[in-house]
């Protein structure tokens, strides 16, 4: 399974007919003719599983939006090539979830006041 094709189908929602259609792991598995577990493992092998994506300094939401709003006549696969290249070049950094949650709690306390 080609990593670019998997990235397009799973993360960008590019259907086989090049339209935008968000899909879940089961949709992608059917498309590639494999079990969902194979997709999970392949995503992990390629460093594209959901956890790895969280530890990647890549704006996946913006990439998905670029694909979703591509005007008629734009080849989404060609557009995705640049997106995929940016993803592959983006730095990996392990998130410190405790710090993120602590910072969020402090910010919420400032905005909403302390509870309990």
């Amino acid at each position: 399974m080609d990593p670019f094709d998997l990235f397009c189908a799973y993360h960008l929602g590019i259907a086989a007919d090049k339209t935008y259609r968000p899909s879940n792991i089961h949709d992608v598995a059917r498309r590639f003719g494999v079990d969902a577990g194979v997709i999970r493992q392949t995503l992990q092998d390629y460093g594209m599983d959901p956890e790895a994506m969280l530890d990647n300094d890549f704006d996946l939401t913006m990439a998905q939006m670029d694909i979703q709003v591509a005007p008629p006549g734009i080849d989404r696969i060609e557009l995705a090539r640049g997106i995929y290249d940016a993803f592959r070049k983006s730095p990996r950094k392990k998130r410190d979830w405790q710090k993120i949650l602590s910072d969020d709690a402090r910010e919420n306390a400032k905005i909403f006041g302390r509870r309990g």
Side-chain angles (χ1 to χ4, degrees):
M1 193 174 316
D2 180 72
F4 174 71
D5 293 337
L6 183 57
F7 182 81
C8 288
Y10 185 76
H11 288 296
L12 299 181
I14 300 175
D17 63 0
K18 297 185 181 181
T19 59
Y20 172 76
R21 189 175 310 121
S23 54
N24 61 41
I25 197 161
H26 301 288
D27 297 328
V28 174
R30 274 191 298 280
R31 176 174 168 179
F32 287 100
V34 297
D35 183 77
V38 172
I39 297 296
R40 273 188 206 92
Q41 185 61 54
T42 305
L43 285 167
Q44 190 171 16
D45 292 347
Y46 289 146
M48 295 189 298
D49 58 290
E51 185 176 326
M53 295 302 284
L54 289 174
D55 289 337
N56 193 306
D57 194 21
F58 175 74
D59 192 344
L60 182 58
T61 302
M62 186 59 70
Q64 291 166 335
M65 289 299 298
D66 286 346
I67 295 299
Q68 185 176 1
V69 302
I74 297 296
D75 185 327
R76 284 184 171 88
I77 297 294
E78 289 307 312
L79 179 59
R81 290 190 195 288
I83 293 170
Y84 182 71
D85 188 48
F87 161 69
R88 282 296 178 204
K89 289 179 181 174
S90 64
R92 307 282 195 271
K93 59 181 182 182
K94 192 73 175 154
R95 304 264 190 235
D96 182 348
W97 290 109
Q98 288 297 74
K99 181 180 181 327
I100 291 168
L101 291 171
S102 176
D103 291 349
D104 285 350
R106 273 194 303 282
E107 190 64 26
N108 285 338
K110 282 186 217 173
I111 295 170
F112 303 110
R114 298 225 180 258
R115 291 189 177 175

